[in-house]
Amino acid sequence: MSKIHVSTTVNGDATEYLCEPTSSLLDVLRDTMGLTGSKEGCGSGDCGACTVVLDGEMVCSCLVLAAEAEGRTVATIEGVAEGSVLHPVQQKFLEHAALQCGFCTPGFIVAAKALLDRNPNPTETEVRYWLAGNLCRCTGYDKIVRAVLDAAAELRQERTPA
Amino acid sequence: MNAPETMKQFRPKGFRHVGTRPVRPDGVDKVTGKALYSPDFKAPGMLWGAILRSPHPHARIISIDTKKAEALVGVKAVATGRDLPTLESLVMHVGEGASDIVDVSHNCLALDKVLYEGHAVVAVAATSPEIAREALGLITVEYEELPFVLGVEEALAEGAPVLHDNVFTKGVEPKPEKPSNAAMRVEMGGGDVEGALASAAATVTERYTLEPVHQGYIEPHACVASWNGDGQAQIWTSSQGHFAVRSLTASVLAMPQSDIRVTPLEIGGGFGGKTTIYLEPVAMVLSRKSGRPVRLAMTREEVFRATGPAPGAVIDVRIGADAEGTLVAAEVEFLYHSGAYTANDAGAGVSSAIGHYRIANTRVVGTEVLCNRPAAKAYRAPGAPQVNFAVESAIDELAGKLGIDPLELRLKNAAAEGDPQTSGLPWGRIGWVECLEAARAHPHWSAPLGPNQGRGIAGGYWGNYGGPSTVNVSVAEDGTITVATGSPDIGGSRASMAIMAAEVLDVPYEQVRSVVADTASIGVSMVTGGSRTTFATGMATVQAAEDVKSILCQRAARMWGVSDDQVEWRSGAVVCLEGEKQGQSMTAAAIAGRSFHSGGPIAAVAALSAKGWLPGFGVHICDTEVDPETGHVKIVRYTAIQDVGTAIHPDYVEGQMQGGAAQGIGWALNEAYIYGKNGKLDNAGFLDYRMPVASDLPMIDTVMVEVPNPAHPYGVKGVGEVPIVPPLAAVANAIHGAIGQRLRDLPMVPDRVYAALHPEG
């Protein structure tokens, strides 16, 4: 079977690639484009380590065919910071020590940013249910939830006129 | 949120850096996706490997035909167990537990028999992952299926299929005449258990069971190997110990260790499960055959089917007390799943059973039982949570019979410094009593409960470890410091090493950078396991930093023309105490800037085997709410209290306590390997192997009790493993509190809880 040509936008950059019809978006991000920040923990959409945002919707990139990205926009962990300036979610993950091994962290940060983009003032329960698709085996989630709530507070302050 | 500000109460005492919470040096890489983990690594010209695994739980390999696979365009190498050298039996101690190198080899690629569904049989390397997977489908393996056995009692029964004809129960004298599935037996204790139980005012005699559970690290195993024709090789992989990867791989391949350079990649969780090897020798053989670097990586399904779970168990407890609540006797007999090979968890299970209580008459017997499951591997305090679940449940049952508060019963019998352990050796400076007292004083213990809620408490411990570590502390020309260790950073150890070196040298934390060096760049270091890294590698870091401080003082003295005893290190600089230069000071930058003309580069290596480690103790309080209509158990409040010695970086100590508690809650409520009648694993994925997610848990409050270890320069005790020990019984005791029924079989899934609530059916 011949490869499929795809034109898409990844982290704001127009991008083209050839992919197998069976390749997942995660495979292409990691193996073709070298964007290894999105991780494969399961390949079945159960762990959230590969979370990206596709046309504004949070998805597991292991469950999206690479060919489905044609004409769409993809946002990955590599695009969350603006240059060297960390997004508040990233900064709060560091300040709260919300990571131990760090393998699930990119997926959590992409998911948490997607939450705060649509709900700037989530409750603890809303944070926990929004992040329930992301597995972390190290932290027990305590410091992750605190980091997200703190990032939300910081983002809200930025929106308030001084 | 139930843990408001208590988490931040810890304050450092007399330290500048120890006890502070700076951002970890590897943090930015890990929040931006730049950090390179095992599956992220690629080498130029690399081939993609794949492994064909056994569909049978127990079978003899009659023949393997790989001709069609080898003929497929793009396939560059095929390997079977015949490609690994024949080895003499040798038990290697690389970390938590020990393994016979023959077993390690046969587990990497089966030789004559497959011992579990998922056992690796054939490996291929090809120019793409698709071709490698296609090639697996072209391989024909002829098996003679054998009877299999999954349960520990079944495996010991007369007539059970015996996995290995050369296993004669270790620890039994005289050596048994026939081989069996009883791999090893360990017994400890003393006194008159029967007599004391006969005269006890109250006794509990019960059986408790647990299923095997997986460590559940989110990063699947992966590696890249490149083995040249001249015999030299490189391996890039994540592990809990790249020196263990080197020694095990070299031993399996019968090659010199110095011919293998292992570069540690970032590790995505291990919890004991990455203290061994599965893929590396196979990738090496494929690389040697193809002349190219080869990548091997597991899928999640392969991780579940072929890597080591923690043993399941059947545990019988008999325990008795007098009317005042003094424990008079305890007997614990357990059978642990060992899986396909001897796992060596029984000894730790025996010493982790009842040593936390002063009991005059004890008998603890542990037996490891081989069965047709993946070989059990270390999982956070390996061997301790199972037996602790049984004992701490039984203690709760006994408290109920005696009408004594379960915390007070524990406190009344708690072992303290000088009391004998089960082995007879005295306890050192442990903090078990302090933890129980902290639990009693904690507001959680006396908070009111709501409807359908119950509260449970349990205590537990883990021995911890020290052992070999090498650290190189070097001073750059501008006076900044690099700490290179051989200990993989699995949860913030770069930060704790930098903190300790900065504390010794009294310089800013950011002036010290900490890296994990490869096997060719630093001396041997044992695995990051046994809760040993902050203790042992920390001890080496402190020693090397002290040596660097001495060198800096000597250099300054030489430049000032005074003797070494006329200078002193103060506030991050050398100060001249006497002579013309009295009162002058020289920083590391000033000294290092001139070091090429005053004695050469400044560096010190500490290579030591750390002694004086102390066990850690923890007490957990758990509140559950049980839905009477469904049997669903919700954890509504949780507090973990632990003696941590001294918390070097309290955030990461709390993180260990919270993470361990969460894993223990998963073990208690959800997690289990589920096998079909055909001997195949039915839940080899995260959807059906249900680990706790954020919405399953409340905040996990932590209380760090600090009873410093006198043998460590900063008082460190290992903290990583203890917190998975108490949760199993804490949850079970809380469910008993909520519904008045005792569940003695894990996991306490809704249908079991529902059945306990409705015994009439």
Side-chain angles (χ1 to χ4, degrees):
Chain A
M1 207 180 290
S2 60
K3 292 195 173 186
I4 297 172
H5 177 268
V6 175
S7 299
T8 186
T9 303
V10 177
N11 298 330
D13 296 330
T15 307
E16 293 177 65
Y17 55 78
L18 293 173
C19 65
E20 301 287 343
T22 55
S23 292
S24 69
L25 176 58
L26 178 63
D27 290 336
V28 166
L29 288 171
R30 290 177 52 79
D31 297 334
T32 307
M33 304 181 63
L35 296 174
T36 55
S38 304
K39 306 299 182 192
E40 179 166 330
C42 66
S44 54
D46 299 316
C47 79
C50 66
T51 302
V52 301
V53 174
L54 181 66
D55 280 351
E57 291 295 322
M58 187 174 86
V59 295
C60 287
S61 59
C62 73
L63 295 184
V64 177
L65 286 171
E68 291 182 87
E70 173 66 35
R72 304 171 77 175
T73 62
V74 182
T76 73
I77 181 66
E78 285 87 353
V80 172
E82 290 189 26
S84 292
V85 180
L86 297 181
H87 185 276
V89 171
Q90 293 171 311
Q91 188 59 40
K92 292 301 176 187
F93 264 63
L94 292 181
E95 290 173 13
H96 286 263
L99 61 148
Q100 285 176 35
C101 81
F103 190 79
C104 70
T105 306
F108 268 98
I109 287 173
V110 171
K113 179 177 179 295
L115 167 65
L116 301 186
D117 283 347
R118 68 184 64 197
N119 178 1
N121 193 10
T123 64
E124 181 196 339
T125 301
E126 285 170 334
V127 171
R128 287 187 179 277
Y129 277 87
W130 182 272
L131 296 178
N134 292 77
L135 285 176
C136 170
R137 191 60 158 174
C138 293
T139 64
Y141 305 102
D142 183 300
K143 292 181 188 301
I144 292 175
V145 173
R146 288 175 197 278
V148 174
L149 290 170
D150 197 13
E154 179 160 317
L155 282 161
R156 288 196 304 274
Q157 281 169 5
E158 281 179 8
R159 293 196 185 104
T160 311
Chain B
M1 228 187 272
N2 63 41
E5 289 311 310
T6 53
M7 297 187 42
K8 302 289 178 189
Q9 279 175 3
F10 171 78
R11 291 285 180 273
K13 295 170 286 292
F15 294 122
R16 177 175 168 191
H17 297 293
V18 168
T20 62
R21 302 168 186 251
V23 168
R24 59 195 288 169
D26 51 326
V28 171
D29 276 350
K30 287 178 177 167
V31 298
T32 54
K34 292 176 191 166
L36 215 55
Y37 292 81
S38 237
D40 303 336
F41 184 83
K42 292 185 185 66
M46 182 185 91
L47 299 174
W48 300 75
I51 291 181
L52 185 69
R53 296 178 180 277
S54 167
H56 306 298
H58 196 190
R60 197 171 303 286
I61 299 171
I62 305 298
S63 66
I64 301 175
D65 184 350
T66 61
K67 283 191 208 72
K68 282 185 192 162
E70 287 171 68
L72 183 68
V73 172
V75 171
K76 300 295 181 185
V78 177
T80 71
R82 301 275 164 220
D83 291 301
L84 296 173
T86 304
L87 302 168
E88 293 291 317
S89 174
L90 172 69
V91 174
M92 293 183 66
H93 298 262
V94 295
E96 294 189 292
S99 301
D100 192 309
I101 198 64
V102 174
D103 294 342
V104 175
S105 172
H106 292 175
N107 198 35
C108 287
L109 278 175
L111 191 58
D112 297 320
K113 283 215 302 186
V114 289
L115 297 169
Y116 55 93
E117 184 226 6
H119 199 156
V121 180
V122 189
V124 302
T127 50
S128 78
E130 292 81 10
I131 295 172
R133 282 196 293 270
E134 189 185 343
L136 295 187
L138 299 174
I139 295 167
T140 308
V141 183
E142 191 187 343
Y143 294 100
E144 175 199 347
E145 286 188 59
L146 300 170
F148 63 88
V149 63
L150 297 174
V152 283
E153 290 183 294
E154 294 86 336
L156 292 180
E158 192 64 31
V162 173
L163 271 70
H164 301 279
D165 57 14
N166 61 347
V167 170
F168 301 84
T169 319
K170 221 176 356 176
V172 171
E173 295 294 337
K175 181 182 165 181
E177 288 174 8
K178 285 197 302 186
S180 77
N181 292 323
M184 68 187 303
R185 184 180 183 280
V186 180
E187 178 166 352
M188 279 186 206
D192 175 14
V193 171
E194 296 303 330
L197 282 176
S199 62
T203 60
V204 169
T205 302
E206 293 294 348
R207 166 168 286 201
Y208 305 84
T209 69
L210 306 87
E211 294 298 320
V213 296
H214 198 268
Q215 294 84 354
Y217 34 81
I218 313 296
E219 177 203 45
H221 298 260
C223 72
V224 174
S226 180
W227 193 2
N228 293 335
D230 67 354
Q232 296 188 76
Q234 291 210 67
I235 296 172
W236 297 267
T237 189
S238 72
S239 73
Q240 288 177 248
H242 40 302
F243 288 91
V245 170
R246 184 178 74 167
S247 63
L248 288 169
T249 304
S251 299
V252 167
L253 298 173
M255 63 185 288
Q257 291 188 21
S258 60
D259 275 351
I260 304 179
R261 178 179 181 181
V262 183
T263 299
L265 301 167
E266 295 302 330
I267 174 169
F271 314 107
K274 289 177 183 166
T275 56
T276 188
I277 56 168
Y278 297 100
L279 300 173
E280 287 78 3
V282 185
M284 286 278 281
V285 167
L286 291 168
S287 173
R288 186 70 178 254
K289 285 189 160 196
S290 63
R292 291 166 65 167
V294 173
R295 175 187 196 267
L296 271 178
M298 289 193 195
T299 62
R300 175 56 50 187
E301 187 182 331
E302 287 178 290
V303 172
F304 274 113
R305 291 192 198 282
T307 70
V314 174
I315 304 166
D316 290 308
V317 179
R318 293 198 296 157
I319 192 162
D322 66 19
E324 284 72 47
T326 298
L327 298 174
V328 295
E331 181 184 69
V332 181
E333 284 192 70
F334 65 78
L335 305 175
Y336 276 4
H337 285 103
S338 186
Y341 300 103
T342 307
N344 290 291
D345 278 332
V350 167
S351 44
S352 304
I354 51 168
H356 48 325
Y357 296 115
R358 276 181 279 104
I359 311 176
N361 307 288
T362 59
R363 180 170 175 269
V364 187
V365 187
T367 304
E368 264 188 29
V369 184
L370 297 158
C371 52
N372 294 108
R373 296 167 178 263
K377 281 285 169 272
Y379 178 26
R380 203 169 198 158
Q386 296 93 330
V387 73
N388 180 272
F389 161 63
V391 168
E392 286 293 292
S393 294
I395 288 282
D396 223 59
E397 299 195 49
L398 191 61
K401 284 192 175 180
L402 289 162
I404 297 178
D405 177 279
L407 193 157
E408 298 304 329
L409 180 67
R410 288 176 170 87
L411 201 46
K412 184 180 176 71
N413 293 281
E417 183 175 8
D419 286 332
Q421 308 175 42
T422 312
S423 64
L425 294 169
W427 286 113
R429 187 68 189 95
I430 56 174
W432 168 220
V433 169
E434 289 84 346
C435 287
L436 284 165
E437 286 170 344
R440 185 165 57 185
H442 196 283
H444 184 173
W445 184 240
S446 50
L449 288 163
N452 299 316
Q453 293 185 352
R455 178 165 299 142
I457 190 167
Y461 62 103
W462 176 246
N464 294 327
Y465 198 58
S469 286
T470 309
V471 171
N472 182 0
V473 174
S474 54
V475 184
E477 293 100 309
D478 64 355
T480 56
I481 311 291
T482 302
V483 177
T485 78
S487 298
D489 181 350
I490 201 161
S493 62
R494 287 183 184 88
S496 59
M497 296 308 142
I499 285 173
M500 285 186 270
E503 186 71 48
V504 171
L505 294 164
D506 202 4
V507 296
Y509 167 78
E510 292 77 13
Q511 194 173 324
V512 182
R513 294 303 183 194
S514 173
V515 301
V516 184
D518 66 73
T519 56
S521 307
I522 190 81
V524 172
S525 300
M526 199 180 161
V527 294
T528 292
S531 302
R532 63 174 294 278
T533 300
T534 310
F535 173 78
T537 307
M539 200 179 261
T541 297
V542 169
Q543 186 179 311
E546 290 284 0
D547 289 349
V548 157
K549 195 162 79 178
S550 299
I551 296 169
L552 289 166
C553 286
Q554 290 159 12
R555 297 288 173 85
R558 196 179 304 174
M559 285 189 255
W560 281 322
V562 300
S563 64
D564 290 355
D565 59 3
Q566 290 174 318
V567 302
E568 192 175 85
W569 189 265
R570 276 188 207 159
S571 305
V574 189
V575 177
C576 191
L577 303 175
E578 291 172 48
E580 287 176 25
K581 312 280 184 178
Q582 187 178 358
Q584 288 192 14
S585 74
M586 217 183 288
T587 62
I591 300 164
R594 295 167 60 190
S595 63
F596 293 0
H597 310 290
S598 60
I602 297 162
V605 174
L608 54 77
S609 192
K611 302 277 193 293
W613 67 90
L614 282 173
F617 283 74
V619 175
H620 290 198
I621 309 170
C622 173
D623 292 359
T624 58
E625 184 173 309
V626 179
D627 183 337
E629 290 186 13
T630 64
H632 177 259
V633 176
K634 186 171 176 55
I635 307 290
V636 292
R637 184 169 181 179
Y638 202 96
T639 303
I641 298 155
Q642 189 173 320
D643 169 26
V644 303
T646 300
I648 300 297
H649 191 311
D651 275 343
Y652 290 107
V653 174
E654 293 163 354
Q656 290 293 325
M657 294 164 69
Q658 293 162 337
Q663 285 184 319
I665 290 167
W667 200 338
L669 291 180
N670 290 317
E671 296 178 35
Y673 266 47
I674 301 167
Y675 277 84
K677 288 197 170 66
N678 56 5
K680 300 183 187 191
L681 185 61
D682 279 343
N683 61 334
F686 281 143
L687 186 63
D688 299 314
Y689 184 92
R690 179 71 162 70
M691 307 198 310
V693 300
S695 53
D696 293 329
L697 297 171
M699 291 297 185
I700 296 169
D701 200 356
T702 56
V703 177
M704 292 178 289
V705 175
E706 293 194 297
V707 181
N709 177 357
H712 188 278
Y714 297 131
V716 168
K717 289 176 180 171
V719 298
E721 289 166 294
V722 176
I724 201 175
V725 181
L728 287 58
V731 175
N733 295 341
I735 291 174
H736 177 263
I739 67 173
Q741 300 291 324
R742 176 66 56 178
L743 278 82
R744 302 187 184 89
D745 304 300
L746 298 190
M748 296 175 284
V749 287
D751 53 324
R752 280 181 171 164
V753 177
Y754 185 87
L757 276 164
H758 304 276
E760 68 286 359

